[in-house]
Every structure is written in structure tokens, then in C-alpha cells.
Amino acid sequence: MSLPSSARSTWTQHRRVGEADVYSLTDGQFGLDGGAMFGNVPKVLWERRAPADHLNRIRLRINPLLIRLNGHNTLVETGFWDGGDEKFETIYGLDRDETVFRGLEEVGLTPDDIHTVINTHLHFDHAGRNTTLLGDPTFPNARYVVQAAELQEATHTHERNRASYIPETFRPILDAGLFDAVDGEQELLPGLSVLPVPGHNLGQQAVVLRSGGQTLVYTADMLPTLAHAPYPYITGYDLYPVTTLEHKRKYLPQWYEAGALICTPHDPDVAFAKLVEGKKGGFELVAAE
């Protein structure tokens, strides 16, 4: 089971954004079918950007983001579910080469030090470490921020989305009353906001940090990797792909004009990126200097 290796050699990476310290962490690597990850884009095109293994899986990474702003510690995403059996781990080619916990330790924090957790959505590869294997909140002093539409979707699944939600990762948070379910765009702290970007599902949200004249965006699965910047590159997992397209057309020009740093949840190699104009229109993502 050999997936293409990651070129990223330093896991915890730091940027200063205005008054905020931002750390890109990791919770390991996994693989998903390349065709599913690029929807109706032909393999001859997408494999130039993301080479696949013999099972047609491309290498992805789990990239939580830590934002330290005015003494407040915010964790965006918690990591990949740790409760799968051997079959589950084999399907996804899970490789725990690093964990979000070691990343926090590198910057001198423990789970107890997190004040806010932002779940862009509640799929098991994003919110999987919301809880411990004992069913307790992993970040016991934090409020967990999620869109109300996503909480509704996670607790009322259907055949098309059910496999993406694992109740053990969010039900204990709900039962403990630790979710702050927001409705639409909302500022959580001065300069730190959540922004609905439905398409992958109905309740997905991005995270936008504006501080000191600088902007950073955590895109959620609207842009799962740098390779997904072109408008047509939309995953087959998106329940509403045309909605994804509409939001890419709306927000990518705005983020380009703002010179925003872009963080994606699953790029295997690049923690901080920037948008550049594409040769055939639209945009591409490249590593930020």
C-alpha cells in the first residue's frame, strides 16, 4: 500500500498575520480516490497536479490551523478520527506520521489551552478529534463553533452523506452543550470570522482572519488542496457542485485582490499559499513566499 510520498518536511509552520500568530499543524496523511477528488475533470489533467498510486488514490494531508490572537487560542479543525478499525485505516491509507497533539506541544500548548474550536464541517477527516476515544470532549475548555445548518445535517443524515459523519465525534459535544451553532457569517473575535461556503455540503464554513491590514483564509473543502483552485476542479464528494462553483467565482477574486494567505485543509505539501492569475483565466494557487 504505497501512496505517493509527501514532500512536506517541516510539519508545524508559522506565519505572522498582523497581530496574530498562525500555525499550520498536521494530523497525518491519508488517501482518497483521485477521480472522486476531481469530479468530472479527466485523469489526464488532474494527475499532473496530484499523482495517484496503483489504487488510484492521491495523497492528502490533514491540516488543522492554530490561531493565537490577543491571548485567545483558536483551533480550526481537530483532525482525523482515531477510532477506525484496520479495514478503515487500510481503505484510507492512514499514516499518522504526526498528530495535532504533537503540533500543539511544539508551540507550548495542551488541549486544555484551546479556547475555541472551529469546525468547518463535521466530516470525520475534519472533526474526528473533537472527542476522545472515551467519548469525552478533547478540548474540554473550548466552545466548538459550527454552522447550525451543518449540525442539522450531521444529525439528520441521508444515504448520500451518512458515511462522512461519525456520531461519536460530535454527539458528545452536542450532549455536553459545547456547540455554538452560528447562522451565517459571524465575527467570533475582532478580526476573526466564519464565512458560509456551502457546496461540499449545506453547512460548510471557511475561516477568515483580518489583522493589521493582512488577510488569511482557511478555505475548508471548497478548496481542499492547491490543485483545486481552477474553477472546474470540484470534488465528486460535493453534494452541490454548482454551488461550490458559484462560491469560488465569488470569493477567489476577492481573496486575490486582498493578497490573502490561503490555507487548505488537505494539501499534502504546502501550508500557506497565495492566489495567482491562471494562464487561461481564473486562478491558481502557489506556495506563498
Side-chain angles (χ1 to χ4, degrees):
M1 301 277 294
S2 178
L3 282 159
S5 63
S6 172
R8 187 170 164 190
S9 58
T10 303
W11 306 125
T12 300
Q13 299 188 34
H14 171 258
R15 290 288 176 125
R16 184 77 174 173
V17 179
E19 298 301 314
D21 286 296
V22 180
Y23 300 87
S24 178
L25 310 179
T26 185
D27 199 46
Q29 302 183 82
F30 69 112
L32 288 176
D33 183 83
M37 281 300 296
F38 289 98
N40 63 2
V41 176
K43 183 176 182 179
V44 69
L45 296 179
W46 63 253
E47 69 179 349
R48 301 173 188 172
R49 301 166 179 263
D53 71 354
H54 66 290
L55 295 177
N56 206 47
R57 298 176 305 178
I58 64 169
R59 169 58 67 195
L60 301 169
R61 183 164 284 284
I62 305 105
N63 300 321
L65 198 71
L66 173 67
I67 300 171
R68 306 191 72 177
L69 178 62
N70 297 328
H72 194 98
N73 299 320
T74 299
L75 183 65
V76 183
E77 313 289 49
T78 58
F80 202 98
W81 186 49
D82 205 25
D85 57 17
E86 183 177 352
K87 179 181 178 181
F88 179 90
E89 295 198 3
T90 298
I91 289 172
Y92 294 104
L94 186 60
D95 178 3
R96 294 285 195 193
D97 55 8
E98 264 299 345
T99 70
V100 66
F101 304 118
R102 282 197 289 267
L104 290 174
E105 185 178 359
E106 276 191 57
V107 298
L109 298 179
T110 71
D112 290 353
D113 297 315
I114 301 301
H115 303 107
T116 301
V117 168
I118 300 176
N119 291 139
T120 66
H121 55 300
L122 294 173
H123 289 176
F124 65 79
D125 56 323
H126 292 256
R129 291 209 195 257
N130 277 5
T131 57
T132 70
L133 292 180
L134 297 177
D136 300 316
T138 305
F139 306 94
N141 299 318
R143 302 294 301 179
Y144 290 66
V145 179
V146 68
Q147 288 287 319
E150 175 64 357
L151 200 54
Q152 171 70 15
E153 191 155 319
T155 54
H156 297 79
T157 57
H158 50 73
E159 290 79 3
R160 185 71 171 82
N161 69 0
R162 188 165 295 136
S164 298
Y165 294 107
I166 296 176
E168 294 92 329
T169 66
F170 60 84
R171 180 61 68 176
I173 307 301
L174 183 61
D175 292 343
L178 294 178
F179 272 125
D180 286 338
V182 299
D183 188 9
E185 185 173 2
Q186 184 163 323
E187 188 172 58
L188 306 179
L189 297 169
L192 182 62
S193 301
V194 292
L195 174 71
V197 285
H200 186 58
N201 56 12
L202 288 176
Q204 182 176 246
Q205 60 185 356
V207 180
V208 182
L209 170 66
R210 297 183 179 92
S211 180
Q214 297 178 274
T215 301
L216 177 144
V217 179
Y218 191 90
T219 65
D221 277 341
M222 186 178 82
L223 298 176
T225 74
L226 271 61
H228 288 84
Y231 290 141
Y233 283 59
I234 296 169
T235 83
Y237 298 110
D238 283 26
L239 299 180
Y240 310 95
V242 174
T243 303
T244 298
L245 176 61
E246 291 170 349
H247 282 90
K248 290 174 76 171
R249 287 189 174 278
K250 178 178 180 180
Y251 289 119
L252 265 58
Q254 295 180 21
W255 298 339
Y256 170 74
E257 289 297 327
L261 276 178
I262 303 295
C263 298
T264 68
H266 293 311
D267 197 90
D269 301 316
V270 176
F272 298 97
K274 63 179 181 179
L275 288 159
V276 297
E277 293 181 339
K279 294 179 180 179
K280 297 182 180 180
F283 298 94
E284 299 280 350
L285 277 169
V286 300
E289 297 176 357

PDB file of all heavy atoms in Angstrom, residues 251-283:
ATOM      1  N   TYR A 251     -15.626  34.370  -4.332  1.00  0.00           N
ATOM      2  CA  TYR A 251     -14.646  34.695  -3.310  1.00  0.00           C
ATOM      3  C   TYR A 251     -13.201  34.683  -3.792  1.00  0.00           C
ATOM      4  O   TYR A 251     -12.371  35.448  -3.267  1.00  0.00           O
ATOM      5  CB  TYR A 251     -14.797  33.750  -2.120  1.00  0.00           C
ATOM      6  CG  TYR A 251     -16.052  34.024  -1.325  1.00  0.00           C
ATOM      7  CD1 TYR A 251     -17.045  33.056  -1.186  1.00  0.00           C
ATOM      8  CD2 TYR A 251     -16.251  35.265  -0.719  1.00  0.00           C
ATOM      9  CE1 TYR A 251     -18.195  33.321  -0.465  1.00  0.00           C
ATOM     10  CE2 TYR A 251     -17.403  35.532   0.010  1.00  0.00           C
ATOM     11  CZ  TYR A 251     -18.371  34.559   0.131  1.00  0.00           C
ATOM     12  OH  TYR A 251     -19.510  34.825   0.837  1.00  0.00           O
ATOM     13  N   LEU A 252     -12.848  33.863  -4.762  1.00  0.00           N
ATOM     14  CA  LEU A 252     -11.453  33.829  -5.177  1.00  0.00           C
ATOM     15  C   LEU A 252     -10.972  35.186  -5.704  1.00  0.00           C
ATOM     16  O   LEU A 252      -9.861  35.619  -5.336  1.00  0.00           O
ATOM     17  CB  LEU A 252     -11.220  32.716  -6.204  1.00  0.00           C
ATOM     18  CG  LEU A 252     -10.726  31.384  -5.615  1.00  0.00           C
ATOM     19  CD1 LEU A 252     -11.700  30.826  -4.582  1.00  0.00           C
ATOM     20  CD2 LEU A 252     -10.465  30.377  -6.719  1.00  0.00           C
ATOM     21  N   PRO A 253     -11.762  35.907  -6.524  1.00  0.00           N
ATOM     22  CA  PRO A 253     -11.305  37.244  -6.931  1.00  0.00           C
ATOM     23  C   PRO A 253     -11.129  38.196  -5.741  1.00  0.00           C
ATOM     24  O   PRO A 253     -10.183  39.002  -5.719  1.00  0.00           O
ATOM     25  CB  PRO A 253     -12.423  37.728  -7.869  1.00  0.00           C
ATOM     26  CG  PRO A 253     -13.053  36.485  -8.385  1.00  0.00           C
ATOM     27  CD  PRO A 253     -12.993  35.521  -7.242  1.00  0.00           C
ATOM     28  N   GLN A 254     -12.017  38.093  -4.748  1.00  0.00           N
ATOM     29  CA  GLN A 254     -11.895  38.957  -3.570  1.00  0.00           C
ATOM     30  C   GLN A 254     -10.615  38.640  -2.789  1.00  0.00           C
ATOM     31  O   GLN A 254      -9.885  39.554  -2.365  1.00  0.00           O
ATOM     32  CB  GLN A 254     -13.105  38.776  -2.653  1.00  0.00           C
ATOM     33  CG  GLN A 254     -14.433  39.232  -3.244  1.00  0.00           C
ATOM     34  CD  GLN A 254     -15.594  39.025  -2.280  1.00  0.00           C
ATOM     35  OE1 GLN A 254     -15.407  38.908  -1.062  1.00  0.00           O
ATOM     36  NE2 GLN A 254     -16.808  38.971  -2.816  1.00  0.00           N
ATOM     37  N   TRP A 255     -10.328  37.361  -2.610  1.00  0.00           N
ATOM     38  CA  TRP A 255      -9.149  36.979  -1.853  1.00  0.00           C
ATOM     39  C   TRP A 255      -7.870  37.293  -2.625  1.00  0.00           C
ATOM     40  O   TRP A 255      -6.854  37.653  -2.022  1.00  0.00           O
ATOM     41  CB  TRP A 255      -9.233  35.498  -1.496  1.00  0.00           C
ATOM     42  CG  TRP A 255     -10.413  35.172  -0.616  1.00  0.00           C
ATOM     43  CD1 TRP A 255     -11.113  36.043   0.172  1.00  0.00           C
ATOM     44  CD2 TRP A 255     -11.038  33.895  -0.442  1.00  0.00           C
ATOM     45  NE1 TRP A 255     -12.123  35.400   0.830  1.00  0.00           N
ATOM     46  CE2 TRP A 255     -12.119  34.076   0.476  1.00  0.00           C
ATOM     47  CE3 TRP A 255     -10.816  32.626  -0.960  1.00  0.00           C
ATOM     48  CZ2 TRP A 255     -12.946  33.028   0.875  1.00  0.00           C
ATOM     49  CZ3 TRP A 255     -11.638  31.571  -0.576  1.00  0.00           C
ATOM     50  CH2 TRP A 255     -12.686  31.782   0.338  1.00  0.00           C
ATOM     51  N   TYR A 256      -7.936  37.203  -3.952  1.00  0.00           N
ATOM     52  CA  TYR A 256      -6.793  37.583  -4.776  1.00  0.00           C
ATOM     53  C   TYR A 256      -6.506  39.075  -4.624  1.00  0.00           C
ATOM     54  O   TYR A 256      -5.354  39.484  -4.420  1.00  0.00           O
ATOM     55  CB  TYR A 256      -7.075  37.231  -6.238  1.00  0.00           C
ATOM     56  CG  TYR A 256      -6.065  37.783  -7.216  1.00  0.00           C
ATOM     57  CD1 TYR A 256      -4.790  37.217  -7.327  1.00  0.00           C
ATOM     58  CD2 TYR A 256      -6.379  38.880  -8.020  1.00  0.00           C
ATOM     59  CE1 TYR A 256      -3.863  37.722  -8.223  1.00  0.00           C
ATOM     60  CE2 TYR A 256      -5.455  39.393  -8.917  1.00  0.00           C
ATOM     61  CZ  TYR A 256      -4.195  38.811  -9.012  1.00  0.00           C
ATOM     62  OH  TYR A 256      -3.283  39.326  -9.898  1.00  0.00           O
ATOM     63  N   GLU A 257      -7.546  39.894  -4.706  1.00  0.00           N
ATOM     64  CA  GLU A 257      -7.369  41.345  -4.587  1.00  0.00           C
ATOM     65  C   GLU A 257      -6.844  41.723  -3.198  1.00  0.00           C
ATOM     66  O   GLU A 257      -6.090  42.690  -3.044  1.00  0.00           O
ATOM     67  CB  GLU A 257      -8.692  42.073  -4.866  1.00  0.00           C
ATOM     68  CG  GLU A 257      -9.123  42.025  -6.314  1.00  0.00           C
ATOM     69  CD  GLU A 257      -8.146  42.710  -7.245  1.00  0.00           C
ATOM     70  OE1 GLU A 257      -7.519  43.717  -6.817  1.00  0.00           O
ATOM     71  OE2 GLU A 257      -7.994  42.244  -8.395  1.00  0.00           O
ATOM     72  N   ALA A 258      -7.229  40.961  -2.182  1.00  0.00           N
ATOM     73  CA  ALA A 258      -6.773  41.233  -0.814  1.00  0.00           C
ATOM     74  C   ALA A 258      -5.359  40.723  -0.561  1.00  0.00           C
ATOM     75  O   ALA A 258      -4.779  41.014   0.495  1.00  0.00           O
ATOM     76  CB  ALA A 258      -7.732  40.600   0.193  1.00  0.00           C
ATOM     77  N   GLY A 259      -4.801  39.962  -1.513  1.00  0.00           N
ATOM     78  CA  GLY A 259      -3.485  39.366  -1.306  1.00  0.00           C
ATOM     79  C   GLY A 259      -3.473  38.375  -0.162  1.00  0.00           C
ATOM     80  O   GLY A 259      -2.472  38.239   0.562  1.00  0.00           O
ATOM     81  N   ALA A 260      -4.585  37.674   0.022  1.00  0.00           N
ATOM     82  CA  ALA A 260      -4.754  36.801   1.182  1.00  0.00           C
ATOM     83  C   ALA A 260      -3.808  35.609   1.160  1.00  0.00           C
ATOM     84  O   ALA A 260      -3.519  35.037   0.098  1.00  0.00           O
ATOM     85  CB  ALA A 260      -6.196  36.306   1.251  1.00  0.00           C
ATOM     86  N   LEU A 261      -3.338  35.237   2.340  1.00  0.00           N
ATOM     87  CA  LEU A 261      -2.733  33.928   2.518  1.00  0.00           C
ATOM     88  C   LEU A 261      -3.852  32.897   2.510  1.00  0.00           C
ATOM     89  O   LEU A 261      -4.888  33.097   3.151  1.00  0.00           O
ATOM     90  CB  LEU A 261      -1.984  33.848   3.850  1.00  0.00           C
ATOM     91  CG  LEU A 261      -0.559  34.377   3.924  1.00  0.00           C
ATOM     92  CD1 LEU A 261      -0.048  34.241   5.358  1.00  0.00           C
ATOM     93  CD2 LEU A 261       0.361  33.626   2.971  1.00  0.00           C
ATOM     94  N   ILE A 262      -3.640  31.795   1.796  1.00  0.00           N
ATOM     95  CA  ILE A 262      -4.660  30.762   1.670  1.00  0.00           C
ATOM     96  C   ILE A 262      -4.151  29.483   2.322  1.00  0.00           C
ATOM     97  O   ILE A 262      -3.050  29.003   2.004  1.00  0.00           O
ATOM     98  CB  ILE A 262      -5.006  30.495   0.190  1.00  0.00           C
ATOM     99  CG1 ILE A 262      -5.474  31.784  -0.510  1.00  0.00           C
ATOM    100  CG2 ILE A 262      -6.059  29.400   0.084  1.00  0.00           C
ATOM    101  CD1 ILE A 262      -6.754  32.368   0.007  1.00  0.00           C
ATOM    102  N   CYS A 263      -4.946  28.925   3.226  1.00  0.00           N
ATOM    103  CA  CYS A 263      -4.646  27.641   3.856  1.00  0.00           C
ATOM    104  C   CYS A 263      -5.728  26.648   3.462  1.00  0.00           C
ATOM    105  O   CYS A 263      -6.924  26.926   3.634  1.00  0.00           O
ATOM    106  CB  CYS A 263      -4.606  27.775   5.375  1.00  0.00           C
ATOM    107  SG  CYS A 263      -3.330  28.892   5.976  1.00  0.00           S
ATOM    108  N   THR A 264      -5.327  25.510   2.931  1.00  0.00           N
ATOM    109  CA  THR A 264      -6.279  24.475   2.548  1.00  0.00           C
ATOM    110  C   THR A 264      -6.231  23.342   3.561  1.00  0.00           C
ATOM    111  O   THR A 264      -5.204  23.109   4.203  1.00  0.00           O
ATOM    112  CB  THR A 264      -5.976  23.928   1.143  1.00  0.00           C
ATOM    113  OG1 THR A 264      -4.738  23.191   1.177  1.00  0.00           O
ATOM    114  CG2 THR A 264      -5.881  25.051   0.119  1.00  0.00           C
ATOM    115  N   PRO A 265      -7.321  22.597   3.706  1.00  0.00           N
ATOM    116  CA  PRO A 265      -7.346  21.558   4.733  1.00  0.00           C
ATOM    117  C   PRO A 265      -6.595  20.289   4.388  1.00  0.00           C
ATOM    118  O   PRO A 265      -6.276  19.510   5.276  1.00  0.00           O
ATOM    119  CB  PRO A 265      -8.841  21.272   4.901  1.00  0.00           C
ATOM    120  CG  PRO A 265      -9.451  21.637   3.598  1.00  0.00           C
ATOM    121  CD  PRO A 265      -8.647  22.804   3.095  1.00  0.00           C
ATOM    122  N   HIS A 266      -6.271  20.079   3.075  1.00  0.00           N
ATOM    123  CA  HIS A 266      -5.751  18.769   2.706  1.00  0.00           C
ATOM    124  C   HIS A 266      -4.539  18.782   1.775  1.00  0.00           C
ATOM    125  O   HIS A 266      -4.129  17.712   1.323  1.00  0.00           O
ATOM    126  CB  HIS A 266      -6.857  17.940   2.037  1.00  0.00           C
ATOM    127  CG  HIS A 266      -7.974  17.564   2.956  1.00  0.00           C
ATOM    128  ND1 HIS A 266      -7.770  16.999   4.191  1.00  0.00           N
ATOM    129  CD2 HIS A 266      -9.324  17.683   2.816  1.00  0.00           C
ATOM    130  CE1 HIS A 266      -8.943  16.769   4.772  1.00  0.00           C
ATOM    131  NE2 HIS A 266      -9.894  17.192   3.971  1.00  0.00           N
ATOM    132  N   ASP A 267      -3.970  19.949   1.465  1.00  0.00           N
ATOM    133  CA  ASP A 267      -2.800  19.887   0.602  1.00  0.00           C
ATOM    134  C   ASP A 267      -1.678  19.130   1.304  1.00  0.00           C
ATOM    135  O   ASP A 267      -1.379  19.399   2.474  1.00  0.00           O
ATOM    136  CB  ASP A 267      -2.320  21.280   0.202  1.00  0.00           C
ATOM    137  CG  ASP A 267      -1.393  21.201  -0.996  1.00  0.00           C
ATOM    138  OD1 ASP A 267      -1.890  21.266  -2.135  1.00  0.00           O
ATOM    139  OD2 ASP A 267      -0.165  21.028  -0.790  1.00  0.00           O
ATOM    140  N   PRO A 268      -1.018  18.191   0.626  1.00  0.00           N
ATOM    141  CA  PRO A 268      -0.023  17.365   1.305  1.00  0.00           C
ATOM    142  C   PRO A 268       1.328  18.042   1.492  1.00  0.00           C
ATOM    143  O   PRO A 268       2.144  17.559   2.274  1.00  0.00           O
ATOM    144  CB  PRO A 268       0.111  16.153   0.376  1.00  0.00           C
ATOM    145  CG  PRO A 268      -0.204  16.688  -0.975  1.00  0.00           C
ATOM    146  CD  PRO A 268      -1.284  17.714  -0.746  1.00  0.00           C
ATOM    147  N   ASP A 269       1.570  19.153   0.791  1.00  0.00           N
ATOM    148  CA  ASP A 269       2.917  19.709   0.768  1.00  0.00           C
ATOM    149  C   ASP A 269       3.012  21.177   1.178  1.00  0.00           C
ATOM    150  O   ASP A 269       4.050  21.608   1.668  1.00  0.00           O
ATOM    151  CB  ASP A 269       3.512  19.576  -0.640  1.00  0.00           C
ATOM    152  CG  ASP A 269       3.562  18.133  -1.103  1.00  0.00           C
ATOM    153  OD1 ASP A 269       3.964  17.275  -0.294  1.00  0.00           O
ATOM    154  OD2 ASP A 269       3.187  17.863  -2.253  1.00  0.00           O
ATOM    155  N   VAL A 270       1.970  21.962   0.960  1.00  0.00           N
ATOM    156  CA  VAL A 270       2.059  23.410   1.136  1.00  0.00           C
ATOM    157  C   VAL A 270       1.104  23.861   2.227  1.00  0.00           C
ATOM    158  O   VAL A 270      -0.108  23.609   2.153  1.00  0.00           O
ATOM    159  CB  VAL A 270       1.748  24.150  -0.187  1.00  0.00           C
ATOM    160  CG1 VAL A 270       1.754  25.659   0.029  1.00  0.00           C
ATOM    161  CG2 VAL A 270       2.750  23.759  -1.266  1.00  0.00           C
ATOM    162  N   ALA A 271       1.649  24.554   3.225  1.00  0.00           N
ATOM    163  CA  ALA A 271       0.835  25.032   4.341  1.00  0.00           C
ATOM    164  C   ALA A 271       0.199  26.384   4.049  1.00  0.00           C
ATOM    165  O   ALA A 271      -0.970  26.610   4.366  1.00  0.00           O
ATOM    166  CB  ALA A 271       1.692  25.116   5.601  1.00  0.00           C
ATOM    167  N   PHE A 272       0.960  27.301   3.457  1.00  0.00           N
ATOM    168  CA  PHE A 272       0.486  28.657   3.194  1.00  0.00           C
ATOM    169  C   PHE A 272       0.669  28.953   1.712  1.00  0.00           C
ATOM    170  O   PHE A 272       1.768  28.816   1.180  1.00  0.00           O
ATOM    171  CB  PHE A 272       1.254  29.684   4.029  1.00  0.00           C
ATOM    172  CG  PHE A 272       1.087  29.507   5.511  1.00  0.00           C
ATOM    173  CD1 PHE A 272       2.035  28.818   6.259  1.00  0.00           C
ATOM    174  CD2 PHE A 272      -0.018  30.037   6.167  1.00  0.00           C
ATOM    175  CE1 PHE A 272       1.888  28.657   7.628  1.00  0.00           C
ATOM    176  CE2 PHE A 272      -0.179  29.873   7.532  1.00  0.00           C
ATOM    177  CZ  PHE A 272       0.771  29.181   8.269  1.00  0.00           C
ATOM    178  N   ALA A 273      -0.411  29.386   1.067  1.00  0.00           N
ATOM    179  CA  ALA A 273      -0.385  29.610  -0.375  1.00  0.00           C
ATOM    180  C   ALA A 273      -0.913  30.997  -0.703  1.00  0.00           C
ATOM    181  O   ALA A 273      -1.411  31.723   0.170  1.00  0.00           O
ATOM    182  CB  ALA A 273      -1.225  28.544  -1.085  1.00  0.00           C
ATOM    183  N   LYS A 274      -0.799  31.366  -1.978  1.00  0.00           N
ATOM    184  CA  LYS A 274      -1.377  32.614  -2.463  1.00  0.00           C
ATOM    185  C   LYS A 274      -1.983  32.367  -3.838  1.00  0.00           C
ATOM    186  O   LYS A 274      -1.587  31.457  -4.569  1.00  0.00           O
ATOM    187  CB  LYS A 274      -0.319  33.714  -2.557  1.00  0.00           C
ATOM    188  CG  LYS A 274       0.789  33.420  -3.557  1.00  0.00           C
ATOM    189  CD  LYS A 274       1.783  34.571  -3.623  1.00  0.00           C
ATOM    190  CE  LYS A 274       2.888  34.290  -4.652  1.00  0.00           C
ATOM    191  NZ  LYS A 274       3.855  35.416  -4.742  1.00  0.00           N
ATOM    192  N   LEU A 275      -2.986  33.144  -4.169  1.00  0.00           N
ATOM    193  CA  LEU A 275      -3.645  33.049  -5.462  1.00  0.00           C
ATOM    194  C   LEU A 275      -2.884  33.861  -6.499  1.00  0.00           C
ATOM    195  O   LEU A 275      -2.427  34.980  -6.227  1.00  0.00           O
ATOM    196  CB  LEU A 275      -5.081  33.563  -5.363  1.00  0.00           C
ATOM    197  CG  LEU A 275      -6.061  32.674  -4.612  1.00  0.00           C
ATOM    198  CD1 LEU A 275      -7.260  33.482  -4.133  1.00  0.00           C
ATOM    199  CD2 LEU A 275      -6.510  31.500  -5.480  1.00  0.00           C
ATOM    200  N   VAL A 276      -2.741  33.285  -7.694  1.00  0.00           N
ATOM    201  CA  VAL A 276      -2.180  33.997  -8.846  1.00  0.00           C
ATOM    202  C   VAL A 276      -3.138  33.802 -10.011  1.00  0.00           C
ATOM    203  O   VAL A 276      -3.946  32.861 -10.033  1.00  0.00           O
ATOM    204  CB  VAL A 276      -0.772  33.481  -9.208  1.00  0.00           C
ATOM    205  CG1 VAL A 276       0.202  33.725  -8.067  1.00  0.00           C
ATOM    206  CG2 VAL A 276      -0.798  32.000  -9.579  1.00  0.00           C
ATOM    207  N   GLU A 277      -3.064  34.693 -10.984  1.00  0.00           N
ATOM    208  CA  GLU A 277      -3.935  34.575 -12.152  1.00  0.00           C
ATOM    209  C   GLU A 277      -3.541  33.360 -12.979  1.00  0.00           C
ATOM    210  O   GLU A 277      -2.366  33.101 -13.216  1.00  0.00           O
ATOM    211  CB  GLU A 277      -3.847  35.846 -12.992  1.00  0.00           C
ATOM    212  CG  GLU A 277      -4.439  37.074 -12.296  1.00  0.00           C
ATOM    213  CD  GLU A 277      -4.353  38.315 -13.157  1.00  0.00           C
ATOM    214  OE1 GLU A 277      -3.510  38.348 -14.079  1.00  0.00           O
ATOM    215  OE2 GLU A 277      -5.133  39.260 -12.918  1.00  0.00           O
ATOM    216  N   GLY A 278      -4.565  32.608 -13.428  1.00  0.00           N
ATOM    217  CA  GLY A 278      -4.319  31.453 -14.260  1.00  0.00           C
ATOM    218  C   GLY A 278      -4.035  31.857 -15.697  1.00  0.00           C
ATOM    219  O   GLY A 278      -4.485  32.904 -16.171  1.00  0.00           O
ATOM    220  N   LYS A 279      -3.297  31.028 -16.424  1.00  0.00           N
ATOM    221  CA  LYS A 279      -2.947  31.324 -17.807  1.00  0.00           C
ATOM    222  C   LYS A 279      -4.163  31.324 -18.719  1.00  0.00           C
ATOM    223  O   LYS A 279      -4.172  31.985 -19.755  1.00  0.00           O
ATOM    224  CB  LYS A 279      -1.920  30.307 -18.303  1.00  0.00           C
ATOM    225  CG  LYS A 279      -0.582  30.389 -17.591  1.00  0.00           C
ATOM    226  CD  LYS A 279       0.391  29.345 -18.112  1.00  0.00           C
ATOM    227  CE  LYS A 279       1.735  29.447 -17.395  1.00  0.00           C
ATOM    228  NZ  LYS A 279       2.700  28.417 -17.863  1.00  0.00           N
ATOM    229  N   LYS A 280      -5.192  30.585 -18.340  1.00  0.00           N
ATOM    230  CA  LYS A 280      -6.401  30.503 -19.166  1.00  0.00           C
ATOM    231  C   LYS A 280      -7.594  31.115 -18.437  1.00  0.00           C
ATOM    232  O   LYS A 280      -8.738  30.731 -18.658  1.00  0.00           O
ATOM    233  CB  LYS A 280      -6.684  29.048 -19.538  1.00  0.00           C
ATOM    234  CG  LYS A 280      -5.583  28.410 -20.381  1.00  0.00           C
ATOM    235  CD  LYS A 280      -5.932  26.983 -20.765  1.00  0.00           C
ATOM    236  CE  LYS A 280      -4.826  26.369 -21.610  1.00  0.00           C
ATOM    237  NZ  LYS A 280      -5.140  24.953 -21.994  1.00  0.00           N
ATOM    238  N   GLY A 281      -7.327  32.089 -17.580  1.00  0.00           N
ATOM    239  CA  GLY A 281      -8.382  32.691 -16.795  1.00  0.00           C
ATOM    240  C   GLY A 281      -8.506  32.035 -15.441  1.00  0.00           C
ATOM    241  O   GLY A 281      -7.912  30.994 -15.174  1.00  0.00           O
ATOM    242  N   GLY A 282      -9.288  32.649 -14.582  1.00  0.00           N
ATOM    243  CA  GLY A 282      -9.432  32.102 -13.239  1.00  0.00           C
ATOM    244  C   GLY A 282      -8.149  32.233 -12.448  1.00  0.00           C
ATOM    245  O   GLY A 282      -7.349  33.152 -12.690  1.00  0.00           O
ATOM    246  N   PHE A 283      -7.933  31.305 -11.528  1.00  0.00           N
ATOM    247  CA  PHE A 283      -6.807  31.420 -10.619  1.00  0.00           C
ATOM    248  C   PHE A 283      -6.115  30.078 -10.412  1.00  0.00           C
ATOM    249  O   PHE A 283      -6.686  29.015 -10.645  1.00  0.00           O
ATOM    250  CB  PHE A 283      -7.287  31.958  -9.264  1.00  0.00           C
ATOM    251  CG  PHE A 283      -7.880  33.331  -9.351  1.00  0.00           C
ATOM    252  CD1 PHE A 283      -9.260  33.510  -9.500  1.00  0.00           C
ATOM    253  CD2 PHE A 283      -7.066  34.452  -9.316  1.00  0.00           C
ATOM    254  CE1 PHE A 283      -9.807  34.779  -9.601  1.00  0.00           C
ATOM    255  CE2 PHE A 283      -7.605  35.727  -9.404  1.00  0.00           C
ATOM    256  CZ  PHE A 283      -8.967  35.880  -9.558  1.00  0.00           C
TER     257      PHE A 283
END
